[in-house]
Amino acid sequence: MKQQLVVVGNGMAGVACVEQILKQPHDFDITIFGAETHVNYNRIMLSLVLAGQKSPDDIVLNGVDWYRDNNIRAKLGVRIANIDRERRVVIDQEGGETPYGKLILATGSNAFIPPIPGVDKKNVHVFRTMDDTQELLAKSRPGLKAVVIGGGLLGLEAARGLQLRGCDVTVVHLMDSLMERQLDPTGGAYLRRKIESLGIRVMLPKQTDALFGNGLVDGLRFASGEELEAELVVIAAGIRPNTELARRAGLAVGRGIVVNDHLETSDPDIFAVGECTEHNGQIFGLVAPLYEQGRVLAHAITGQRGKTFSGATPATKLKIMGVDIFSAGSIDDSEPGVESVKFEDPSQGVYKKVLLKNNRLHGVILVGDAEDEYTYTEWLRSGTDLTELRRQVLFPPRDPDPGRELADMPDSETVCGCNGVKKGDIIHAIHTHGITTLKQVKERTRASTSCGSCTGLCEKLLRAVAPDFQADTKTTLCSCFPFSYEQLRDIMRGQKLKSVEEVLAVYGNRKGCEVCKPALSYLLDMVWCGDHEEDRSARFINDRVHANIQKDGTFSVIPRMRGGVTTPDELRRIADVADKYNVPMVKVTGSQRIDLLGIKKADLPKVWADLGMSSGQAYTKGVRMVKTCVGTEFCRFGVQDSTNTGIELERRLENLFTPHKFKMGVVGCPRNCAEATVKDLGLVGQEGSWQVVVGGAAGKSVRKADLLITVETTEQALEASDLFFQYYRENANYLERSYDFVERIGIEKVRKETVYATDADKAKLLDRLARSKALAKDAWLEGAQPVNATQFVQIQPSAKTTSPEVASVC
Amino acid sequence: MLTETLRECDWIPVTEAGNIPPREGRSLCLNGKELAVFNLNGRFLTIDNHCPHKGGPLCDGIVSGTAVVCPLHGRRFDLETGLPVRADDETSLATYPTRMEGGVIYIGFPTAQEAAGEAA
């Protein structure tokens, strides 16, 4: 008969340990008890659920089918109250008994609630489980005054999550400095500055004496007598090993359940693993050593004692509110013989402190730049003698060949610290299972499934090793950001980020690239209706000089000619400009406008001034033009005034930016001479009505536009156009043309959310459009008022600064 | 880079630092060459202005970290080394030592002796 193995605790450490046991030869019939009603999820990622960056389903580690496939009985929502060691049974809170042959305690830890009067008031929460998270989600709302007690890792994550939900957040910390267990006071101050710059208040040192309020919490009272208003309080004052069950069963318990190097408790048939354990006087709060415990336990319990657990070097790598933080080894520099070497760059927010003892790395703190964490981890692990490298310890030498770093990494080096996956394991998995995507790596090896900080390294490895590497389907902008468009829009709104550099600093890789910078520029413009900090360096050259760059580096100039209607005066000026600047080609475009090609950058302001016309935006992802037919004014067949309607439509939307170029057409009868049905937006005149059509294309692909709505009056047609236009601006991905957008969303949904939306929702769309329009201006005004002195000119080393012979013309 | 800075240079003042906005480049002609000077948030770097691929003006490119992306076809070059970022692009570009002093940008060209020594 199979031996009964009972596991009390369905958290990350317990289940990971069971996974390790399943890999060993064994004869167990396994039952797992979980006090929570959820399957095993990634507790580390609860902060991302709170922040809205992951859904609860996204962070499930072992779904129901894992339990079923491995014949594991999962008893969820069942709390074990007692262990009868004599009868070898566990007893649940209902009195139900389950016999065991071997027992594993993986009871984890509880949130520590300091004994402050008033912690039992309503709207006072802890942040530890999925249920806690969901309660916080239900209560958080924009403007809510939230106070987080505790400035450690968990407290700061809770604060960030609540802030992303729009709450007005204050962090109250008992100690002099944030994250004092991982950072020294200077490092804590760097982190604090960053957090405060994001709009979270930090108050420290502050001892909370009481929470007051009548039933519901109203605020906090500090030892100093000060008070702070609060509608929601989250207590994140640390965790304590959950030892109650073990204590009641008479097992040896200190701060945690005492275990030996094989994870056995004082009863040889009872093991313990995870945050509930105490090993050599040490307790644990980070996941990596707990997975190591699970592996050792799995060997011991299956009768293969050999592997032992030898504790853990504390190493924390995390990203809090966009700040990379790495802390490893001992950070106590008061210890005799410990020297510290420091680097600070306040404007970049970078702080590094390296502690050395006997010329070997003793500890390290990195804030704002954790790129060298692998080097430091390796130095710590191997005890490398750094005598020769003393002058480089703050900036360890980096190899110019990034592939080298990977090649240099021994197979035994850990890639994923959370799940204890080594480089060799990943390579082995890639070869034996023909893995080609990151998703498969995650499924096979579990690497990068916990905190995600090794995702980049895993991907590099895949790229290097797997011949058919495929990047995971792209839902993000580019590799500079781990977020989707939707998340980015939420982040910009929630965090009130108004410049590309801020977004990159807080949520990106601080560099950005030619893909994300223009996209972020667009998103910020759209989200803030033009009221953002425009950064020209983040925009393509066309949008820096308001003309279209050509293959020889010259530019094309297309003035606005609304509805394709011009005047003799305009034509004369165009002709004069063409003569004066020796324009090599003057061309009528497909958009009923005139293009002057081959203009030098330096001539652009003069050309615009001479033209006396406004920018046709033919160089940008924005409103291009409205093509029209002559309509009722002259045409024998026209039934609607297409030219004037087209001119009006162009005026309403011109100078605005869009996810991709946006072309329109207005025709005065269904003969469709101006091809309105293959435009992003078209108005097709009929006797007594207009058809508003959207999502047409006659470019790389040809697509007949979908009918959005038929309306009676021109004013209605223009309003429907405005609605669709703003809806596309707000919901399309950057560089998504309207025809791809309409196909992706579906015309029914587009109708429902524009022309069939409630009056209130329509008013909101129109209001945002009006706000954007109010701030939009003709870009060519910059010809007379450039944004900087050299916007259009080449730098001329002047006679004042240099001798004439070197400042040559080329 | 190290040898570059140790080398004897004639430092030519070219323009005021304020003329090159952060994370943008500007072109200029010097000693018969067209160069692009970039401002990486206060650090100035100079490279040949023309992309070896089709001659695109690199001064008009978007900066990504320490690299610039050619506006015509997206080739990337590291501004510190002049090397193409992708391994399959072969040609690299010359870089020129650049420094800022008293709000003025200087570009260094090897002195006549140094240049002769290099040729020999």
Side-chain angles (χ1 to χ4, degrees):
Chain A
M1 191 185 128
K2 284 195 166 187
Q3 178 160 214
Q4 295 300 316
L5 171 64
V6 169
V7 181
V8 181
N10 185 42
M12 294 174 75
V15 175
C17 174
V18 171
E19 286 191 318
Q20 291 297 328
I21 293 171
L22 293 174
K23 285 188 189 167
Q24 305 302 325
H26 71 89
D27 193 28
F28 288 126
D29 183 32
I30 305 175
T31 306
I32 302 180
F33 286 93
E36 287 186 63
T37 51
H38 305 277
V39 292
N40 179 33
Y41 59 85
N42 189 335
R43 200 179 297 281
I44 301 164
M45 290 182 140
L46 283 176
S47 59
L48 296 180
V49 175
L50 185 59
Q53 288 162 8
K54 298 264 177 193
S55 75
D57 286 345
D58 289 338
I59 68 165
V60 166
L61 286 172
N62 302 78
V64 274
D65 34 353
W66 176 82
Y67 296 87
R68 194 183 49 229
D69 295 348
N70 291 293
N71 295 318
I72 293 169
R73 262 187 309 280
K75 302 208 166 177
L76 302 184
V78 181
R79 186 178 293 278
I80 295 300
N82 276 304
I83 304 167
D84 186 334
R85 285 162 59 193
E86 264 176 33
R87 291 167 49 228
R88 297 164 79 90
V89 292
V90 294
I91 304 158
D92 64 43
Q93 78 265 42
E94 308 288 331
E97 297 190 350
T98 308
Y100 67 82
K102 299 274 183 206
L103 177 62
I104 298 176
L105 299 179
T107 47
S109 55
N110 294 326
F112 169 64
I113 300 179
I116 305 172
V119 288
D120 51 347
K121 293 203 185 300
K122 263 197 148 170
N123 293 342
V124 178
H125 291 264
V126 294
F127 177 47
R128 177 78 195 140
T129 63
M130 182 70 87
D131 290 341
D132 296 337
T133 310
Q134 278 167 344
E135 274 185 62
L136 287 176
L137 277 176
K139 289 192 177 161
S140 62
R141 58 176 159 76
L144 183 84
K145 289 190 175 53
V147 174
V148 176
I149 301 178
L153 170 58
L154 200 64
L156 295 180
E157 288 194 326
R160 175 185 66 165
L162 290 170
Q163 201 215 8
L164 278 172
R165 294 282 160 183
C167 299
D168 178 9
V169 183
T170 306
V171 173
V172 173
H173 193 43
L174 182 64
M175 311 304 278
D176 291 321
S177 151
L178 293 173
M179 289 187 67
E180 73 284 350
R181 289 173 61 181
Q182 289 87 15
L183 302 176
D184 66 348
T186 315
Y190 269 80
L191 179 61
R192 176 180 182 169
R193 247 192 314 255
K194 185 76 194 186
I195 289 171
E196 288 180 327
S197 77
L198 292 174
I200 293 179
R201 252 187 318 278
V202 177
M203 297 174 77
L204 53 74
K206 279 275 177 272
Q207 187 179 335
T208 308
D209 264 7
L211 304 180
F212 59 85
N214 187 11
L216 299 177
V217 70
D218 285 335
L220 291 76
R221 189 171 304 117
F222 300 124
S224 58
E226 270 175 282
E227 292 185 353
L228 176 67
E229 204 188 324
E231 296 167 279
L232 177 72
V233 173
V234 178
I235 297 180
I239 53 172
R240 295 286 180 270
N242 183 0
T243 55
E244 207 192 320
L245 182 63
R247 200 185 299 275
R248 237 180 285 148
L251 298 173
V253 172
R255 283 192 296 160
I257 304 171
V258 176
V259 292
N260 63 15
D261 291 352
H262 300 283
L263 285 311
E264 291 160 337
T265 66
S266 52
D267 178 332
D269 287 326
I270 303 181
F271 294 74
V273 67
E275 284 177 346
C276 61
T277 62
E278 173 182 328
H279 176 262
N280 274 341
Q282 194 184 9
I283 58 172
F284 307 87
L286 296 166
V287 75
L290 307 183
Y291 284 176
E292 180 60 26
Q293 286 187 340
R295 276 186 289 276
V296 172
L297 195 162
H299 281 86
I301 207 167
T302 51
Q304 309 168 79
R305 275 171 77 142
K307 237 180 144 118
T308 59
F309 179 69
S310 52
T313 324
T316 320
K317 156 97 195 258
L318 45 116
K319 204 178 184 111
I320 290 193
M321 309 195 198
V323 191
D324 280 314
I325 291 180
F326 180 72
S327 163
S330 161
I331 60 158
D332 178 10
D333 57 5
S334 63
E335 219 179 290
V338 171
E339 306 165 83
S340 64
V341 192
K342 289 176 231 172
F343 170 83
E344 282 190 55
D345 185 342
S347 75
Q348 298 285 308
V350 175
Y351 173 63
K352 301 181 174 195
K353 178 173 176 182
V354 169
L355 296 97
L356 300 167
K357 194 175 180 182
N358 301 325
N359 275 321
R360 282 164 221 280
L361 188 63
H362 189 60
V364 60
I365 294 172
L366 306 174
V367 180
D369 174 7
E371 266 196 54
D372 295 310
E373 56 154 325
Y374 296 107
T375 310
Y376 290 120
T377 311
E378 186 52 28
W379 283 352
L380 261 184
R381 195 193 59 77
S382 62
T384 309
D385 184 343
L386 299 174
T387 313
E388 300 288 309
L389 289 164
R390 274 303 286 253
R391 299 183 63 178
Q392 289 167 286
V393 288
L394 285 169
F395 298 94
R398 286 184 195 163
D399 210 294
D401 168 9
R404 263 287 294 280
E405 179 201 352
L406 214 59
D408 270 350
M409 202 174 160
D411 276 5
S412 63
E413 195 164 321
T414 303
V415 171
C416 173
C418 297
N419 295 294
V421 186
K422 298 186 170 58
K423 179 189 172 193
D425 302 336
I426 297 179
I427 294 180
H428 180 74
I430 292 172
H431 288 324
T432 41
H433 303 289
I435 283 172
T436 54
T437 67
L438 185 64
K439 195 159 168 262
Q440 291 168 323
V441 170
K442 289 182 179 177
E443 282 164 7
R444 278 286 164 196
T445 67
R446 297 214 151 256
S448 113
T449 53
S450 295
C451 77
S453 66
C454 65
T455 307
L457 195 57
C458 288
E459 217 172 76
K460 272 191 209 160
L461 231 125
L462 251 175
R463 220 176 269 281
V465 180
D468 307 316
F469 170 78
Q470 294 164 357
D472 279 348
T473 352
K474 205 161 123 189
T475 49
T476 56
L477 213 55
C478 65
S479 59
C480 301
F481 286 94
F483 304 109
S484 68
Y485 282 97
E486 216 152 286
Q487 290 168 328
L488 274 172
R489 285 189 282 252
D490 284 351
I491 285 170
M492 287 172 184
R493 284 194 192 100
Q495 297 277 27
K496 306 211 169 17
L497 300 177
K498 291 201 167 184
S499 76
V500 171
E501 286 293 293
E502 271 180 325
V503 180
L504 277 166
V506 181
Y507 288 96
N509 63 357
R510 249 177 265 128
K511 291 180 187 158
C513 67
E514 77 281 14
V515 177
C516 63
K517 283 184 166 186
L520 293 173
S521 301
Y522 170 73
L523 289 174
L524 286 166
D525 176 77
M526 183 277 291
V527 164
W528 297 109
C529 299
D531 184 18
H532 63 297
E533 289 166 40
E534 204 210 334
D535 177 0
R536 283 291 159 84
S537 75
R539 307 193 67 180
F540 188 56
I541 183 63
N542 288 8
D543 283 305
R544 294 185 192 174
V545 299
H546 315 302
N548 196 355
I549 193 165
Q550 304 296 309
K551 60 186 279 187
D552 60 354
T554 65
F555 292 86
S556 112
V557 169
I558 302 181
R560 193 160 291 289
M561 209 172 260
R562 297 182 189 89
V565 178
T566 182
T567 64
D569 254 0
E570 280 182 353
L571 290 172
R572 265 183 220 108
R573 292 201 299 270
I574 290 170
D576 288 343
V577 164
D579 280 341
K580 183 171 167 186
Y581 298 92
N582 295 317
V583 173
M585 182 184 269
V586 182
K587 191 177 177 317
V588 173
T589 72
S591 297
Q592 297 184 338
R593 317 203 273 189
I594 293 177
D595 192 355
L596 301 161
L597 289 139
I599 311 264
K600 292 187 196 73
K601 195 204 268 180
D603 287 335
L604 290 170
K606 290 177 273 177
V607 167
W608 300 336
D610 290 349
L611 285 172
M613 297 167 78
S614 56
S615 163
Q617 283 187 288
Y619 46 81
T620 192
K621 310 301 175 210
V623 171
R624 291 295 176 85
M625 81 311 160
V626 181
K627 189 171 179 175
T628 67
C629 67
V630 290
T632 45
E633 262 187 291
F634 291 94
C635 181
R636 285 177 291 141
F637 305 108
V639 292
Q640 290 284 2
D641 182 359
S642 52
T643 39
N644 285 310
T645 306
I647 289 168
E648 169 61 13
L649 182 61
E650 192 162 339
R651 272 190 203 286
R652 282 166 91 111
L653 303 179
E654 68 189 18
N655 300 328
L656 289 166
F657 295 105
T658 41
H660 206 304
K661 59 185 170 188
F662 197 82
K663 298 180 162 192
M664 296 170 278
V666 178
V667 292
C669 82
R671 288 176 189 78
N672 195 22
C673 293
E675 298 138 4
T677 53
V678 286
K679 295 282 179 270
D680 295 291
L681 173 77
L683 301 184
V684 181
Q686 307 178 113
E687 192 68 57
S689 67
W690 288 99
Q691 282 186 333
V692 181
V693 297
V694 298
K700 198 162 56 184
S701 54
V702 179
R703 181 177 191 273
K704 184 171 188 281
D706 293 315
L707 177 70
L708 183 70
I709 193 166
T710 302
V711 291
E712 284 175 18
T713 68
T714 304
E715 196 38 53
Q716 287 171 323
L718 291 170
E719 187 191 280
S721 304
D722 287 353
L723 287 170
F724 174 76
F725 178 75
Q726 183 64 12
Y727 182 72
Y728 166 64
R729 269 166 49 92
E730 293 183 5
N731 294 287
N733 297 333
Y734 189 65
L735 295 186
E736 183 176 37
R737 279 297 290 266
S738 74
Y739 47 87
D740 290 324
F741 171 70
V742 169
E743 280 201 357
R744 175 166 67 87
I745 302 281
I747 186 68
E748 277 116 31
K749 185 167 178 211
V750 172
R751 278 194 203 111
K752 212 169 105 191
E753 299 191 346
T754 58
V755 289
Y756 295 157
T758 62
D759 285 345
D761 286 344
K762 279 193 212 173
K764 280 184 201 152
L765 273 173
L766 295 176
D767 173 58
R768 288 190 293 266
L769 176 61
R771 277 158 56 203
S772 298
K773 179 67 184 174
L775 290 177
K777 52 180 191 295
D778 171 20
W780 287 1
L781 295 174
E782 284 177 12
Q785 288 177 307
V787 290
N788 54 62
T790 54
Q791 184 177 4
F792 302 102
V793 302
Q794 186 173 55
I795 283 173
Q796 302 298 334
S798 64
K800 198 178 69 189
T801 52
T802 187
S803 54
E805 64 269 20
V806 286
S808 55
V809 176
C810 51
Chain B
M1 280 306 281
L2 195 62
T3 54
E4 205 76 59
T5 46
L6 290 178
R7 199 194 274 170
E8 280 292 307
C9 279
D10 284 332
W11 291 97
I12 302 170
V14 290
T15 192
E16 280 165 29
N19 279 333
I20 305 175
R23 303 175 298 282
E24 289 191 33
R26 289 292 184 264
S27 70
L28 65 105
C29 290
L30 213 55
N31 280 349
K33 286 183 173 141
E34 192 174 328
L35 311 179
V37 189
F38 289 86
N39 174 356
L40 299 189
N41 296 322
R43 202 172 145 223
F44 293 87
L45 294 167
T46 307
I47 190 169
D48 281 334
N49 191 33
H50 289 297
C51 178
H53 173 225
K54 299 272 182 186
L58 295 173
C59 65
D60 288 341
I62 287 179
V63 165
S64 166
T66 60
V68 64
V69 185
C70 178
L72 292 193
H73 307 97
R75 301 281 157 120
R76 281 167 170 259
F77 296 90
D78 190 273
L79 294 169
E80 289 175 337
T81 61
L83 293 170
V85 175
R86 270 190 299 264
D88 48 345
D89 301 342
E90 283 153 20
T91 327
S92 62
L93 291 166
T95 57
Y96 302 83
T98 308
R99 63 174 205 222
M100 202 250 292
E101 234 176 73
V104 173
I105 298 169
Y106 293 80
I107 297 181
F109 283 90
T111 56
Q113 301 97 304
E114 285 278 337
E118 210 168 74

